[in-house]
Amino acid sequence: SKIGSSIPDLIDLQRLLSSTIDETGLIRDGASKELHTLRTEASGTKTRLDETLDRAIRRLRRNNILQEPLITERNGRMVLLVKIEQRLKVPGIVHDISDSGATAFIEPMIAIGLGNQWREITLNIRREEERILRTVSSAVGYNGLEIYHTIEALVRLDIAMAMGRYS
């Protein structure tokens, strides 16, 4: 009882952590209003980007221009896998060439505007997540001594329980 009563009250820190970080260690959408807004916006933009690229895939597939009918990511940009000899038939930016030299990873012109928007939102999400993590880290650091005393008390309780069970 004496050991238990020495454990500091860290309920405010616990509330901050549970409202910010989920059970898997990821930052919750609701950690800030800004993060929630950005993630919602990113999801909608990514959906529109995927739809645009899907339409491009259907069109290019009919003309046997694609190496594979897939959307992939290269250097933070969504690209299509185009046969190297067909690359000039797809207006856009070549972001990479496969190691074999058979495939060009091209971001079609029709997707560049949405790609830029999605990339910008993604970067803003990263900045907001870093800001949130700095806030949480600062709160943990501020409560560092109390956390240390809590760990010490829990160790003493664990030892006392083990001794009781062993006896």
Side-chain angles (χ1 to χ4, degrees):
S1 173
K2 181 180 175 187
I3 295 170
S5 65
S6 72
I7 295 176
D9 179 12
L10 296 171
I11 192 69
D12 291 337
L13 180 61
Q14 187 272 330
R15 283 187 187 126
L16 174 65
L17 291 172
S18 64
S19 69
T20 305
I21 311 294
D22 71 13
E23 297 77 23
T24 63
L26 298 176
I27 300 172
R28 295 180 186 275
D29 286 350
S32 78
K33 189 172 184 165
E34 175 74 8
L35 183 61
H36 181 267
T37 301
L38 287 168
R39 284 183 176 174
T40 301
E41 194 177 337
S43 176
T45 302
K46 179 71 164 65
T47 298
R48 289 193 312 276
L49 178 58
D50 287 342
E51 289 168 353
T52 300
L53 291 170
D54 282 337
R55 284 192 302 275
I57 284 175
R58 285 192 299 275
R59 183 176 44 81
L60 296 170
R61 194 174 191 187
R62 286 190 298 264
N63 298 325
N64 199 27
I65 292 174
L66 297 176
Q67 189 74 281
E68 294 284 334
L70 301 172
I71 300 168
T72 190
E73 189 176 334
R74 279 291 191 272
N75 305 318
R77 306 299 294 207
M78 303 311 290
V79 296
L80 301 178
L81 287 71
V82 177
K83 293 178 182 176
I84 198 74
E85 64 274 7
Q86 301 289 337
R87 72 185 179 282
L88 298 177
K89 293 182 181 178
V90 181
I93 299 171
V94 177
H95 287 281
D96 200 1
I97 303 288
S98 67
D99 290 338
S100 67
T103 305
F105 297 93
I106 298 178
E107 180 180 19
M109 277 305 219
I110 59 171
I112 289 174
L114 280 171
N116 288 344
Q117 187 179 359
W118 178 66
R119 182 81 171 134
E120 185 178 328
I121 295 166
T122 302
L123 292 171
N124 288 336
I125 288 171
R126 189 173 303 136
R127 280 192 286 275
E128 179 63 7
E129 288 173 343
E130 288 171 0
R131 186 197 65 77
I132 290 166
L133 290 175
R134 279 193 305 275
T135 300
V136 171
S137 294
S138 177
V140 169
Y142 180 79
N143 288 284
L145 191 57
E146 288 84 2
I147 293 169
Y148 177 77
H149 289 308
T150 299
I151 292 170
E152 279 187 327
L154 291 174
V155 167
R156 288 194 309 266
L157 281 173
D158 193 39
I159 290 171
M161 294 297 291
M163 288 171 61
R165 281 194 192 107
Y166 185 69
S167 68

